Amino acid sequence: MNGVTIALAKGRLGEKGLDLFKDTDMEIIREKDTRKLVFKDYKESITYIFVKPSDVMTYVEKGVADLGIVGKDMILEEDKDIYELMDLNYGKCRFAIAGFKDQTTVKEDDVLRIASKYPNYVKRVFEDRGQKVEIIKLGGSIELAPIIGLSDIIVDLVETGSTLKENGLVILEELDPISARLVANKASYRIKYDTIKKIEKILGGAK
Ligand code: PRP
């Protein structure tokens, strides 16, 4: 089998991704609580690397990883030249515009201030509407921004809705649905086609 490197997002998404290979000949065994970032399966034909979620697409586009498991949110945010092969049907949540109840998402002739971890995505959504925006890029705790007056509204991932609720915010509009996806480097997909198809089959059978 051709050697394949798979980039997994550190955290819940990557851990669950690794679970999909359980009980297959691509399974890896890791020591508990390890800080190691590179792992090989028993046959040493697959290398798994753990990277920051926002970096998975970069590793795949550059070809240092042949495949990646990444949230659709990152695919929508990062404009990378890769193939999106499969919806893995886990890590489900959605992008949403959120703010205070009854708040408007339109400000005619005025700038709408939006806090988000996803500036490129937000820019596209609001450009399509012809709404002028000031995007405030934050690294996390986005829900804080409207509460302390840093932004009018936010665009963020919503899963259970409890972070919004506990901070007195509501969904004003639902946007794209999000889930984990298998992505591939374009050259790798051609060169390592058989191995990648085998991996797709394993992941396709996973729930
Ligand atoms: C994510 C997201 C929301 C929250 C949504 O944050 O940015 O804040 O989860 O989940 P919920 O609808 O189930 O409450 P994350 O946990 O990644 O933390 P962050 O604030 O560092 O972004």
Side-chain angles (χ1 to χ4, degrees):
M1 192 197 282
N2 265 334
V4 164
T5 299
I6 306 178
L8 297 163
K10 266 197 267 182
R12 265 177 303 171
L13 213 63
E15 292 297 327
K16 181 82 204 293
L18 211 52
D19 281 351
L20 302 180
F21 293 96
K22 225 172 161 188
D23 301 326
T24 74
D25 57 5
M26 293 176 191
E27 178 176 7
I28 56 162
I29 306 290
R30 289 184 305 165
E31 313 86 80
K32 215 168 169 261
D33 299 328
T34 181
R35 303 276 297 164
K36 253 174 77 175
L37 299 170
V38 181
F39 297 91
K40 285 179 184 293
D41 74 317
Y42 283 127
K43 292 181 182 166
E44 303 249 325
S45 55
I46 310 277
T47 304
Y48 299 89
I49 57 174
F50 282 86
V51 305
K52 269 190 81 142
S54 54
D55 292 338
V56 171
M57 303 283 288
T58 304
Y59 281 77
V60 173
E61 189 190 45
K62 297 282 182 201
V64 287
D66 302 296
L67 295 173
I69 292 182
V70 66
K72 178 74 179 178
D73 52 325
M74 290 302 166
I75 298 174
L76 289 168
E77 173 64 12
E78 307 275 330
D79 184 25
K80 302 287 188 202
D81 192 23
I82 50 103
Y83 289 134
E84 183 181 330
L85 297 182
M86 255 179 108
D87 186 345
L88 297 170
N89 280 313
Y90 74 89
K92 288 187 182 180
C93 52
R94 55 175 47 253
F95 268 138
I97 304 173
F100 297 106
K101 192 170 175 288
D102 301 327
Q103 204 177 349
T104 176
T105 60
V106 181
K107 262 192 174 179
E108 274 173 43
D109 306 320
D110 201 357
V111 175
L112 187 64
R113 294 173 308 144
I114 307 172
S116 184
K117 266 191 281 193
Y118 303 92
N120 298 325
Y121 176 72
V122 173
K123 187 164 180 272
R124 273 203 317 277
V125 168
F126 284 88
E127 243 169 29
D128 287 351
R129 303 171 181 206
Q131 173 65 55
K132 275 189 272 174
V133 293
E134 179 195 345
I135 301 168
I136 299 137
K137 181 170 183 333
L138 295 175
S141 304
I142 313 299
E143 293 80 359
L144 195 56
I147 299 171
I148 57 163
L150 180 62
S151 73
D152 299 310
I153 56 173
I154 64 171
V155 169
D156 200 11
L157 295 177
V158 179
E159 189 182 354
T160 61
S162 54
T163 311
L164 288 180
K165 199 169 169 205
E166 287 185 29
N167 289 289
L169 303 174
V170 297
I171 291 178
L172 299 171
E173 192 182 324
E174 296 203 341
L175 302 171
D176 290 275
I178 303 297
S179 58
R181 308 290 160 106
L182 179 69
V183 296
N185 173 270
K186 286 188 164 176
S188 302
Y189 189 73
R190 210 165 8 90
I191 298 160
K192 303 181 180 180
Y193 185 80
D194 291 343
T195 312
I196 290 175
K197 279 287 147 194
K198 188 178 167 192
I199 291 170
E200 272 191 283
K201 209 166 158 202
I202 289 174
L203 297 178
K207 280 282 160 302

